[in-house]
């Protein structure tokens, strides 16, 4: 494995945790503001903005890994065999598509919250859309308990 690949894997893994943590913070702030009927301040959009920015960066690194690891070649050589193997299908199709959709949903939520007319609507849209995005994200993470799972933490080839 090349140094670039190790670096990309490490960044992708570490950024996963940042996306999840900041996403949860954005969701909590959304629900707290919505259910607590709080006024919406400009600082209330920052966790959502950071969530989408980190997610965009994660997606970019994921694209680089996807194309440098050869998943396109695996699919084009024998798509039927790739679809029969749960691990190959997960990384070549499911992980990629679900994460792409989760990023899109996060962006829709961030934009919808910014455009909402009332404070309650801003918080509600933030809470609902970011929750949908987070659920999709959590469903598409290769958790260690899955047969094709990955370690919780990867640091330049070291796995924890």
């Amino acid at each position: 494995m090349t140094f670039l690949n190790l670096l990309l894997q490490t960044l992708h893994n570490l950024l996963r945790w940042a996306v999840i943590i900041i996403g949860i913070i954005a969701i909590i702030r959304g629900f707290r503001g919505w259910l607590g009927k709080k006024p919406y301040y400009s600082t209330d959009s920052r966790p959502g903005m950071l969530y989408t920015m980190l997610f965009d960066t994660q997606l970019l690194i994921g694209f680089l890994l996807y194309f440098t690891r050869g998943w396109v070649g695996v699919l084009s050589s024998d798509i039927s065999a790739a679809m029969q193997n749960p691990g190959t299908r997960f990384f070549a199709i499911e992980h990629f598509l679900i994460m792409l959709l989760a990023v899109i949903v996060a962006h829709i939520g961030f934009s919808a919250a910014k455009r909402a007319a009332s404070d309650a609507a801003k918080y509600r849209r933030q809470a609902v859309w970011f929750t949908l995005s987070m659920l999709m994200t959590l469903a598409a993470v290769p958790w260690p308990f899955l047969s094709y799972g990955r370690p919780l933490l990867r640091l330049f080839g070291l796995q924890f």
Side-chain angles (χ1 to χ4, degrees):
M1 189 172 293
T2 67
F3 176 75
L4 177 61
N5 220 350
L6 281 174
L7 177 65
L8 290 174
Q9 275 188 345
T10 298
L11 291 173
H12 196 63
N13 183 269
L14 292 174
L15 206 50
R16 160 182 46 175
W17 295 109
V19 166
I20 290 172
I21 291 166
I22 297 298
I24 290 171
I25 291 168
I27 290 166
I28 290 170
R29 296 221 17 200
F31 276 107
R32 202 170 65 197
W34 175 27
L35 300 175
K37 297 177 176 44
K38 297 181 184 264
Y40 194 90
Y41 299 106
S42 61
T43 57
D44 291 318
S45 69
R46 287 188 186 143
M49 181 175 56
L50 187 57
Y51 176 56
T52 56
M53 287 172 50
L54 289 171
F55 220 151
D56 288 344
T57 306
Q58 178 75 333
L59 184 67
L60 176 62
I61 295 170
F63 277 148
L64 292 171
L65 282 169
Y66 188 82
F67 290 107
T68 60
R69 300 286 310 263
W71 290 113
V72 176
V74 168
L75 288 175
S76 63
S77 66
D78 189 357
I79 195 162
S80 177
M83 293 301 104
Q84 291 175 2
N85 181 313
T88 304
R89 184 180 62 242
F90 177 79
F91 286 105
I93 302 287
E94 296 166 4
H95 178 72
F96 173 76
L97 289 177
I98 294 170
M99 289 299 191
L100 180 61
L101 289 173
V103 170
I104 291 168
V105 168
H107 275 279
I108 290 170
F110 183 68
S111 295
K114 279 192 337 186
R115 286 193 221 118
S118 70
D119 290 349
K122 289 179 183 192
Y123 281 123
R124 183 179 62 249
R125 290 176 183 182
Q126 181 176 316
V128 170
W129 286 97
F130 290 165
T131 298
L132 289 173
S133 173
M134 183 58 64
L135 289 173
M136 294 169 75
T137 300
L138 294 174
V141 169
W143 298 108
F145 58 82
L146 299 171
S147 62
Y148 44 81
R150 297 291 192 254
L152 291 175
L153 190 60
R154 286 177 150 180
L155 298 172
F156 297 101
L158 299 174
Q159 301 180 7
F160 305 95

